[in-house]
């Protein structure tokens, strides 16, 4: 490919990029490589954090694996209605992290609403795959688009 691979720094214990052809080492991704090319580099798994912290807003629907919540004993809305509700929250939030927490507290169908949607730290295999993939792909402070899981539809805010 490009001669680049990902290695782990012995002193800093963080990943870096090493070019086997030129012996160049850099901390930031090499210019000219796409996200997909970087993900395909030897050692790219070192780039994925071991754990992340996230908050979310969950809107359940009638097809959710448990269509009830702390605020509704029997949820009958359709998945399309749930997505529309979540898109409304998304528009209201913009990039306002405080607003995200407020809406999670008031509207999320998850018991984490008590903590502004905070799910604390979690690692690979601890969440449903679509949720995990979305959370791990976000940068800290970034908010996802709509993510669908068996639990319902979510907006996810990566916090750590």
């Amino acid at each position: 490919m490009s001669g680049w691979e990902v290695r782990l720094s012995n002193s800093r214990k963080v990943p870096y990029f090493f070019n086997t052809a030129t012996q160049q080492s850099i901390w930031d991704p090499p210019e000219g490589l796409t996200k997909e090319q970087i993900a395909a580099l030897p050692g790219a798994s070192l780039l994925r954090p071991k754990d992340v912290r996230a908050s979310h807003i969950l809107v359940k629907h009638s097809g959710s694996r448990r269509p009830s919540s702390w605020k509704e004993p029997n949820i009958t809305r359709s998945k399309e209605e749930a997505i529309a509700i979540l898109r409304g929250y998304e528009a209201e939030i913009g990039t306002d992290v405080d607003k995200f927490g407020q809406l999670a507290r008031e509207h999320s169908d998850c018991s984490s609403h008590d903590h502004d949607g905070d799910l604390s730290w979690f690692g690979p295999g601890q969440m449903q795959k679509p949720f995990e993939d979305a959370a791990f792909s976000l940068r800290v402070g970034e908010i996802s688009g709509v993510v669908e899981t068996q639990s319902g539809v979510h907006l996810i805010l990566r916090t750590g």
Side-chain angles (χ1 to χ4, degrees):
M1 185 193 266
S2 60
W4 289 102
E5 59 184 38
V6 181
R7 294 185 176 180
L8 189 64
S9 163
N10 289 326
S11 59
R12 296 171 80 183
K13 303 295 185 218
V14 295
Y16 67 95
F17 296 89
F18 180 75
N19 190 309
T20 56
T22 65
Q23 305 295 299
Q24 179 187 11
S25 297
I26 57 175
W27 294 111
D28 294 320
E31 288 186 28
L33 291 184
T34 65
K35 215 177 195 178
E36 293 76 22
Q37 289 171 319
I38 292 169
L41 292 175
S45 63
L46 294 170
L47 297 171
R48 185 173 167 135
K50 302 255 187 286
D51 294 304
V52 297
R53 186 173 190 161
S55 297
H56 76 137
I57 299 172
L58 169 65
V59 178
K60 292 184 175 187
H61 52 80
S62 60
S64 297
R65 69 176 175 187
R66 197 175 65 80
S68 64
S69 75
W70 64 275
K71 59 182 195 160
E72 282 183 84
N74 185 28
I75 295 172
T76 59
R77 74 179 69 88
S78 70
K79 179 163 54 167
E80 293 72 23
E81 290 170 314
I83 290 170
I85 290 168
L86 206 56
R87 290 214 188 281
Y89 298 155
E90 186 177 31
E92 197 173 335
I93 293 164
T95 58
D96 185 346
V97 174
D98 292 332
K99 188 64 162 177
F100 188 101
Q102 176 191 343
L103 290 176
R105 186 172 47 257
E106 294 171 9
H107 301 292
S108 181
D109 285 320
C110 180
S111 60
S112 68
H113 76 94
D114 280 340
H115 306 287
D116 294 352
D118 182 26
L119 296 169
S120 196
W121 292 92
F122 58 89
Q126 291 185 275
M127 299 289 176
Q128 293 173 47
K129 187 74 170 134
F131 190 99
E132 174 186 314
D133 289 346
F136 274 86
S137 71
L138 296 169
R139 293 182 304 276
V140 173
E142 188 177 11
I143 300 171
S144 72
V146 174
V147 176
E148 296 182 28
T149 69
Q150 293 174 358
S151 297
V153 293
H154 314 252
L155 288 179
I156 303 168
L157 166 64
R158 170 115 177 246
T159 57

